[in-house]
Amino acid sequence: MKINEINSEGKISIKALITKCDKGKTQKNTPYLSLTLEDNTGVLDTKYWNLTDEQVNKYKVGMVVAVEGDVILHRNAYQLRVHKMEIVEENDLSAYVRSAPMTRNAMEAKVNEYITMIKDEDIKTLTKTILQESKDDFFNYPAAVRNHHNFVGGLAFHSISMVELCLMIAKQYPWLDKDLLISGTLLHDIGKIEELSSAVLPEYTIEGNLLGHISIMSARVDRVTHQLNIQDKESVMLIKHMILSHHGKMEFGSPVLPMIPEAEVLSLVDNLDARIVMMKNSLDQTVPGEFGPRVFALENRMIYHRKGSK
């Protein structure tokens, strides 16, 4: 059985990857595990109760496990209560993780299409150079460790979704600079390739924790523009400004606020795409007609899954 096939309470058997594994103790001081299990169709909140100290130390993030247990409704979402869990030896974890809803080839074709739309040759060259340096990682890495687009290919898919939104906005406001919108959007999160450790089961790197993807990417733009001898171009400075300001507020990690319309669009579209995906993630785990669990990244709101929707 796949995780997305779970649609009722009852006994199930699944094989999945442990992507979260937190130890805890009950009020009676009995060890238990709070787990997140994942396969290539979804994630499942999981509890393994009444363990010994030896058992609770047996399981770790990155293990593939064969699990038997009961699915119950807990806070309007399905939760697995484990009866039996055995470790399965697997060298290739790709079959147990979610990936972007576009193929690698389709995403590459979209990105190439966007680059051909850029008219400013300096911006086009800058964008192509950085993307070429990052090619495989850009199309493999997630956009985040958790919350949104946290799947293989999430970084590219998030960027593509944002470009599509930017182009729609540019139709309504044709005076916006499409070159800045396309380039700034494609480049804004590439620093996450250095901020995160890997495409599968990523953690924050030392550089990621100490510097963050915004400053990492700003330094990278400086390096590449000096190599291309275009560092003094105003258009290059504006791209760098868009990267530095794309979180929209200083308290959210941007050292400067958006000061050109294109930077404002980028920060709003970035936030929109992330928040809509977080809402969709909540809906996917919630029974129609009910509210899902509170989502910390969405101001601790509960998201309602309307009746009759998928």
Side-chain angles (χ1 to χ4, degrees):
M1 171 178 273
K2 293 290 189 178
I3 289 174
N4 70 344
E5 295 173 341
I6 298 171
N7 55 20
S8 63
E9 295 180 297
K11 295 186 181 299
I12 66 164
S13 298
I14 61 170
K15 191 159 70 168
L17 176 69
I18 299 175
T19 56
K20 189 189 83 169
C21 186
D22 295 334
K23 302 173 186 176
K25 289 196 174 182
T26 65
Q27 291 181 342
K28 295 182 180 180
N29 209 36
T30 304
Y32 71 92
L33 289 174
S34 181
L35 305 151
T36 297
L37 298 182
E38 179 174 335
D39 64 16
N40 59 359
T41 70
V43 296
L44 182 61
D45 181 35
T46 302
K47 293 289 188 289
Y48 198 178
W49 300 102
N50 301 317
L51 300 177
T52 64
D53 288 326
E54 182 181 0
Q55 287 174 313
V56 86
N57 292 317
K58 181 179 178 181
Y59 303 100
K60 295 179 175 60
V61 168
M63 288 180 171
V64 175
V65 288
V67 185
E68 297 177 8
D70 287 317
V71 171
I72 65 166
L73 268 178
H74 177 69
R75 296 180 180 175
N76 302 324
Y78 289 120
Q79 183 183 86
L80 177 61
R81 301 288 176 91
V82 177
H83 298 318
K84 181 181 179 182
M85 187 158 72
E86 296 183 349
I87 299 169
V88 178
E89 293 298 327
E90 289 279 3
N91 294 322
D92 182 12
L93 301 182
S94 60
Y96 298 94
V97 293
R98 293 166 298 141
S99 57
M102 290 179 72
T103 66
R104 163 75 178 264
N105 288 341
M107 290 195 291
E108 283 196 46
K110 266 293 179 188
V111 169
N112 290 333
E113 177 186 330
Y114 298 144
I115 291 174
T116 61
M117 295 171 64
I118 299 174
K119 296 178 181 177
D120 184 301
E121 288 302 322
D122 291 327
I123 294 179
K124 180 182 286 189
T125 301
L126 171 64
T127 307
K128 287 176 66 175
T129 301
I130 291 177
L131 283 169
Q132 189 60 42
E133 284 184 351
S134 312
K135 187 173 182 181
D136 288 333
D137 288 336
F138 180 69
F139 291 102
N140 287 331
Y141 265 60
V145 172
R146 61 185 65 85
N147 293 333
H148 75 93
H149 299 89
N150 54 331
F151 46 74
V152 173
L155 176 58
F157 185 73
H158 176 45
S159 301
I160 288 168
S161 299
M162 288 174 59
V163 174
E164 290 293 314
L165 290 169
C166 286
L167 293 176
M168 292 179 196
I169 291 170
K171 286 184 180 180
Q172 182 67 26
Y173 306 103
W175 47 269
L176 290 170
D177 190 313
K178 288 184 183 179
D179 289 354
L180 293 179
L181 288 174
I182 294 170
S183 177
T185 302
L186 289 177
L187 299 181
H188 81 288
D189 264 353
I190 290 182
K192 288 184 176 180
I193 292 169
E194 295 175 55
E195 184 179 47
L196 304 179
S197 60
S198 60
V200 177
L201 297 175
E203 297 177 352
Y204 285 96
T205 61
I206 294 174
E207 186 176 10
N209 277 318
L210 292 177
L211 303 178
H213 69 278
I214 290 178
S215 59
I216 289 171
M217 194 58 204
S218 177
R220 189 167 180 183
V221 170
D222 283 340
R223 173 178 62 79
V224 173
T225 54
H226 275 80
Q227 288 175 351
L228 298 172
N229 197 29
I230 56 172
Q231 69 271 17
D232 296 327
K233 301 281 186 177
E234 182 186 60
S235 57
V236 168
M237 179 174 61
L238 296 179
I239 292 293
K240 188 175 176 181
H241 170 71
M242 292 176 71
I243 292 166
L244 290 170
S245 64
H246 80 261
H247 279 189
K249 295 182 179 180
M250 291 180 179
E251 56 264 40
F252 294 161
S254 277
V256 293
L257 301 178
M259 297 183 205
I260 60 173
E262 292 79 9
E264 180 76 356
V265 170
L266 174 60
S267 69
L268 294 173
V269 165
D270 189 20
N271 198 29
L272 174 64
D273 191 47
R275 293 166 81 86
I276 292 297
V277 167
M278 285 189 280
M279 286 189 167
K280 181 61 167 60
N281 290 342
S282 178
L283 296 178
D284 288 343
Q285 299 174 56
T286 306
V287 177
E290 301 288 351
F291 287 91
R294 295 186 182 275
V295 183
F296 177 77
L298 294 173
E299 299 79 42
N300 221 26
R301 283 179 282 162
M302 299 181 295
I303 309 304
Y304 179 67
H305 192 166
R306 62 184 177 85
K307 297 177 182 178
S309 63
K310 295 181 180 180

